[in-house]
């Protein structure tokens, strides 16, 4: 049998979520610790008192309330505890420089930014970052620090010097930075970790802020500024990165501090956490020649969502450029060899005749 529960939204928001989510300025709010942690008993006491103050006398099942909060990604259980939970909406404010401090053992720095275009009024939906904090704390199963509009996740495979990823809202609801750092020689591990974090962010945004992919911009952050812990690292749009790829990893690209307008030049290889894809790949070339008109379904079959594919390719005119852009994004996520296998698998599933043509060309001797 399947249990069906009908929720009265007005009742749920006013009598359950209201007192639990309300800030301290409201007369009825949960009594919690300053770091946003609450216990099961504190949740029960707050709700029972609120219901009594409003003359409501019905049975309260605290376990159901907690399950509801967890399912809505409004709370998550802290590791090593049985009845202690964290409500990200009540996390304290912290200065970024106090949380993300210099560490001389960290020699590898890379950063990405997702932002809305300045001329638009689009923003991430309120609560998106809190939802992400809940999801990241549970799905990534990593240790870290959390504060309002920011978090640090640590990958402790190397106890002496773990890889760390900073995720911070740098402009309220309009821009979020992802910065990964690790010890010397940890480039590939940094890529893998950063890819997982950003993939989770994309999933949360797609669920919570759908329909605005075309208005979002993505790009790289200045490695020099990240290593110097500048408060406003310079930014380079992915379009400039794509244009520079054909010139090789030592090509220079221009980055701009979006607060001061200051511009700097850095090498492409210093901005990318993965070995830069040269743009010369026989598999991609064969798909571009024989199946570029199917760029959209190929991208979807490779695991990208509708918003991700359209966001990647909306400013590309030629079908071949769209295929190359989707493949380059796959390289960032899984590496070049795995991206090749994914592209060929997509061809085989969606366009078998094209797949045969591609394989014939790949089996032919190199000219």
């Amino acid at each position: 049998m399947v249990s069906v529960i009908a929720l009265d939204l007005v009742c749920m928001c006013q009598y359950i979520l209201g007192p639990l989510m309300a800030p301290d300025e409201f007369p009825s709010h949960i009594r919690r610790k300053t770091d946003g942690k609450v216990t099961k008993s504190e949740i029960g006491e707050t709700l029972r008192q609120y219901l009594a103050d409003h003359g409501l006398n019905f049975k309260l099942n605290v376990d159901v309330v907690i399950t509801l909060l967890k399912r809505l990604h409004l709370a998550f259980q802290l590791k090593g505890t049985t009845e202690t939970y964290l409500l990200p909406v009540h996390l304290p404010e912290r200065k970024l420089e106090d949380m993300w401090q210099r560490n001389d053992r960290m020699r590898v720095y890379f950063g990405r930014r997702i932002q809305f275009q300045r001329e638009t009024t689009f923003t991430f939906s309120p609560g998106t970052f809190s939802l992400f904090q809940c999801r990241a704390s549970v799905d990534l199963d990593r240790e870290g620090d959390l504060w309002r509009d920011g978090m640090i996740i640590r990958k402790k495979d190397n106890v002496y010097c773990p890889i760390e990823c900073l995720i911070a809202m740098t402009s309220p609801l309009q821009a979020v930075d992802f910065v990964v750092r690790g010890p010397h020689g940890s480039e590939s591990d940094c890529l893998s970790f950063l890819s997982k974090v950003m993939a989770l962010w994309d999933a949360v945004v797609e669920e919570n802020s759908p329909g605005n992919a075309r208005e979002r911009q993505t790009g790289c952050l200045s490695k020099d500024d990240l290593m110097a812990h500048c408060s406003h690292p310079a930014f380079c749009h992915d379009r400039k990165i794509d244009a520079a790829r054909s010139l090789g990893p030592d090509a220079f690209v221009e980055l701009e501090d979006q607060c001061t307008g200051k511009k700097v030049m850095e090498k492409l290889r210093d901005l990318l956490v993965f070995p830069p894809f040269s743009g010369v790949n026989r598999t991609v070339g064969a798909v571009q020649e024989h199946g570029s008109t199917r760029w959209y379904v190929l991208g979807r079959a490779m695991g990208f969502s509708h918003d991700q594919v359209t966001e990647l390719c909306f400013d590309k005119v030629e079908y071949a450029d769209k295929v190359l852009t989707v493949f380059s994004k796959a390289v960032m996520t899984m590496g070049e060899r795995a991206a090749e296998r994914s592209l060929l698998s997509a061809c085989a599933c969606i366009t078998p005749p094209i797949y045969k043509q591609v394989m014939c060309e790949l089996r032919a001797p190199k000219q």
Side-chain angles (χ1 to χ4, degrees):
M1 294 180 64
V2 177
S3 298
V4 178
I5 300 176
L7 295 176
D8 184 323
L9 293 181
V10 175
C11 178
M12 181 181 69
C13 293
Q14 181 175 354
Y15 300 119
I16 303 298
L17 299 183
L20 295 181
M21 302 292 112
D24 293 344
E25 292 76 15
F26 281 64
S28 297
H29 62 269
I30 191 167
R31 292 175 290 279
R32 61 188 179 278
K33 299 177 178 63
T34 56
D35 57 4
K37 297 176 183 177
V38 297
T39 63
K40 177 180 176 180
S41 61
E42 289 171 337
I43 293 175
E45 290 172 8
T46 298
L47 295 179
R48 290 189 185 95
Q49 183 62 49
Y50 187 79
L51 294 173
D53 292 344
H54 288 76
L56 298 173
N57 185 23
F58 56 79
K59 186 177 180 180
L60 177 70
N61 190 323
V62 180
D63 289 326
V64 172
V65 172
I66 291 174
T67 299
L68 177 66
L69 293 173
K70 292 165 67 176
R71 292 286 180 85
L72 295 176
H73 303 301
L74 297 175
F76 63 91
Q77 187 172 341
L78 295 177
K79 292 181 182 178
T81 69
T82 57
E83 295 187 345
T84 303
Y85 304 87
L86 190 139
L87 304 178
V89 71
H90 294 308
L91 285 169
E93 293 184 358
R94 293 284 187 267
K95 290 183 177 181
L96 183 58
E97 56 266 29
D98 293 336
M99 305 302 296
W100 187 248
Q101 298 182 349
R102 295 175 183 272
N103 186 333
D104 292 338
R105 292 174 294 176
M106 298 297 191
R107 308 307 303 168
V108 176
Y109 276 79
F110 295 98
R112 301 276 296 164
R113 175 177 295 164
I114 301 176
Q115 65 181 15
F116 284 95
Q117 300 180 42
R118 297 179 184 178
E119 59 272 16
T120 72
T121 57
F122 285 92
T123 64
F124 296 111
S125 298
T128 297
F129 200 82
S130 293
L131 291 175
F132 173 76
Q133 288 175 314
C134 277
R135 287 281 298 274
S137 299
V138 175
D139 293 3
L140 297 179
D141 191 29
R142 303 291 183 183
E143 296 183 9
D145 302 316
L146 296 95
W147 65 97
R148 188 173 300 178
D149 294 337
M151 70 184 302
I152 297 172
I153 309 174
R154 296 183 179 89
K155 183 175 182 287
K156 286 200 168 183
D157 295 342
N158 182 341
V159 178
Y160 174 70
C161 191
I163 292 173
E164 298 179 330
C165 186
L166 165 71
I167 309 98
M169 274 282 183
T170 53
S171 177
L173 298 180
Q174 286 199 314
V176 59
D177 284 358
F178 301 82
V179 181
V180 65
R181 66 182 183 181
H184 179 72
S186 64
E187 287 83 357
S188 60
D189 288 335
C190 284
L191 164 64
S192 176
F193 196 30
L194 182 63
S195 297
K196 288 181 180 179
V197 173
M198 295 192 69
L200 181 59
W201 173 264
D202 288 341
V204 171
V205 170
E206 189 168 345
E207 295 171 6
N208 199 52
S209 297
N212 53 28
R214 286 176 176 255
E215 307 301 328
R216 295 197 296 268
Q217 299 177 329
T218 58
C220 292
L221 300 175
S222 164
K223 181 179 180 179
D224 291 342
D225 286 353
L226 294 178
M227 294 188 70
H229 282 240
C230 294
S231 56
H232 301 290
F235 170 81
C236 180
H237 195 285
D238 277 343
R239 284 198 292 268
K240 290 184 179 179
I241 299 291
D242 293 340
R245 285 180 185 273
S246 61
L247 302 177
D250 290 322
F252 282 90
V253 293
E254 184 181 77
L255 301 93
E256 180 181 353
D257 182 332
Q258 296 182 312
C259 291
T260 64
K262 177 185 175 182
K263 296 181 180 180
V264 297
M265 302 292 290
E266 291 187 21
K267 285 186 177 181
L268 181 64
R269 69 166 68 252
D270 292 332
L271 299 179
L272 304 177
V273 70
F274 56 93
F277 169 54
S278 65
V280 180
N281 181 291
R282 293 189 72 204
T283 301
V284 178
V287 174
Q288 286 177 311
E289 180 176 351
H290 300 290
S292 61
T293 58
R294 306 301 301 277
W295 62 271
Y296 175 80
V297 290
L298 287 172
R300 294 301 305 275
M302 291 175 71
F304 295 110
S305 68
H306 166 77
D307 279 357
Q308 287 174 321
V309 175
T310 53
E311 179 183 3
L312 285 169
C313 301
F314 83 93
D315 61 341
K316 302 292 187 297
V317 177
E318 300 294 334
Y319 292 140
D321 291 340
K322 295 176 187 285
V323 171
L324 179 59
T325 300
V326 171
F327 181 77
S328 297
K329 180 66 173 180
V331 171
M332 292 175 61
T333 305
M334 60 186 77
E336 189 168 344
R337 298 281 80 79
E340 274 189 282
R341 292 192 294 270
S342 178
L343 181 59
L344 288 174
S345 177
C347 280
C349 292
I350 294 173
T351 56
I354 294 177
Y355 174 73
K356 291 181 180 179
Q357 291 178 301
V358 169
M359 293 308 297
C360 286
E361 182 167 329
L362 292 179
R363 291 176 183 138
K366 293 183 180 180
Q367 299 296 323

